[in-house]
Amino acid sequence: MIVVNWNSGPLLVQCIRCLQDQSLPPEAVLVVDNASTDDSLAQLPTWDRLTVLRMDCNLGFAAGNNRALELCQTEWVALLNPDAFAAPQWLEQLLLGAARHPDAAALGSRQLCHENPHLLDGTGDCYHLSGLAWREHHGQAQTPAHLHEREIFAPCAAAALYRLAAVRQVGAFDESYFCYFEDVDLGFRLRLAGHTAWYLPQAVVQHVGSATTGGQRSGFATYHGHRNMAWTFVKNMPTPLLWALLPLHLGAHAAALAVLALRGQAAVGLRARWHALRGLPRAWRQRRAIQHQRKASLGSLWRALDRRLWPRPR
């Protein structure tokens, strides 16, 4: 079990206490602290299964998880954000789901909004033909339809279970992302390698969401999300689909910039795309290796993508 922390304060304490209360407790919990300047570590409960890995600087979500993944030796590794509070059977349900889906490399949770648990925080990551991605059903009221187990494009890494060997096979998280979109990118690469991902509604967490980064519309989140969106598309989309869908991808960027301009965030949107362009040579080098190792057919990938005329988070 890995929890990456940066100035999460009492949220981290609540997260760990929820892990202590699991019906099937984790064998070990690695808290990666990205050089926090608050007192979140001082408040942690004493627990023989808990180890704190102190980083010298803020490595971000991607690199922080990678440092812990290097130390893991179990078949499955769970990731949990410090602002995600797991229901007592969360981990047990994830592992039961892993047994039901032996072809899966990633399993996601039913995430509820902490402020209003009647609303969904998400049921997995959805990836559109244009390269846009979102947490499916975010902000919607729960209905019986959300209680059905189903295949998804990728889980949200705020509360997910990963097969360690598969994650290592595809190179774990891309550390150049720092944070945001890194779970979509990892899920894409796992799918290209021939694995599947599943949503398990019985595995429940309550998620605050962006508790330490200023919210989904902050300049920080906007910059990383929009920059990393471009890299994910370039790295992972198979060649026939890359060229066929490139006009749609560029259109999505133009539309997103227009929306950001209306929010007064045009400058951060332009900066994100400028830095994405500067990083394209590295992304293209990564692409060669990713596509060379691809096992999934174009048909299977096409079926996994959201193919609506225009993305509308549902």
Side-chain angles (χ1 to χ4, degrees), residues 255-272:
L257 269 176
V259 172
L260 291 177
L262 292 174
R263 294 181 190 166
Q265 293 183 306
V268 69
L270 289 169
R271 182 165 60 92

Side-chain angles (χ1 to χ4, degrees), residues 148-201:
H148 296 296
E149 197 165 290
R150 61 182 175 84
E151 187 174 353
I152 54 176
F153 186 83
C156 172
L161 185 72
Y162 291 94
R163 189 185 299 275
L164 182 58
V167 170
R168 286 176 171 166
Q169 173 196 2
V170 301
F173 290 104
D174 188 334
E175 298 185 11
S176 66
Y177 281 42
F178 193 80
C179 64
Y180 290 104
F181 236 92
E182 72 290 298
D183 50 357
V184 178
D185 172 63
L186 175 60
F188 207 148
R189 286 183 280 122
L190 288 170
R191 185 165 290 280
L192 289 173
H195 304 289
T196 61
W198 285 79
Y199 160 64
L200 304 178

Side-chain angles (χ1 to χ4, degrees), residues 49-187:
R49 303 190 185 204
L50 178 64
T51 301
V52 176
L53 305 177
R54 297 174 183 264
M55 302 296 109
D56 294 331
C57 61
N58 187 358
L59 300 178
F61 182 84
N65 274 299
N66 283 353
R67 296 299 174 273
L69 286 167
E70 292 166 0
L71 303 177
C72 294
Q73 299 178 351
T74 51
E75 179 182 5
W76 294 93
V77 176
L79 272 56
L80 191 65
N81 276 12
D83 64 347
F85 312 129
Q89 292 189 324
W90 173 72
L91 184 57
E92 183 177 7
Q93 290 297 331
L94 285 176
L95 291 169
L96 288 172
R100 289 194 300 273
H101 302 289
D103 60 337
L107 302 118
S109 311
R110 176 160 50 104
Q111 297 178 194
L112 308 179
C113 294
H114 179 62
E115 299 81 1
N116 184 354
H118 297 292
L119 298 180
L120 289 163
D121 179 67
T123 61
D125 287 339
C126 186
Y127 193 84
H128 187 257
L129 296 174
S130 64
L132 294 174
W134 57 84
R135 286 202 306 276
E136 195 142 24
H137 303 119
H138 175 72
Q140 294 188 17
Q142 290 191 83
T143 71
H146 300 131
L147 302 180
H148 296 296
E149 197 165 290
R150 61 182 175 84
E151 187 174 353
I152 54 176
F153 186 83
C156 172
L161 185 72
Y162 291 94
R163 189 185 299 275
L164 182 58
V167 170
R168 286 176 171 166
Q169 173 196 2
V170 301
F173 290 104
D174 188 334
E175 298 185 11
S176 66
Y177 281 42
F178 193 80
C179 64
Y180 290 104
F181 236 92
E182 72 290 298
D183 50 357
V184 178
D185 172 63
L186 175 60

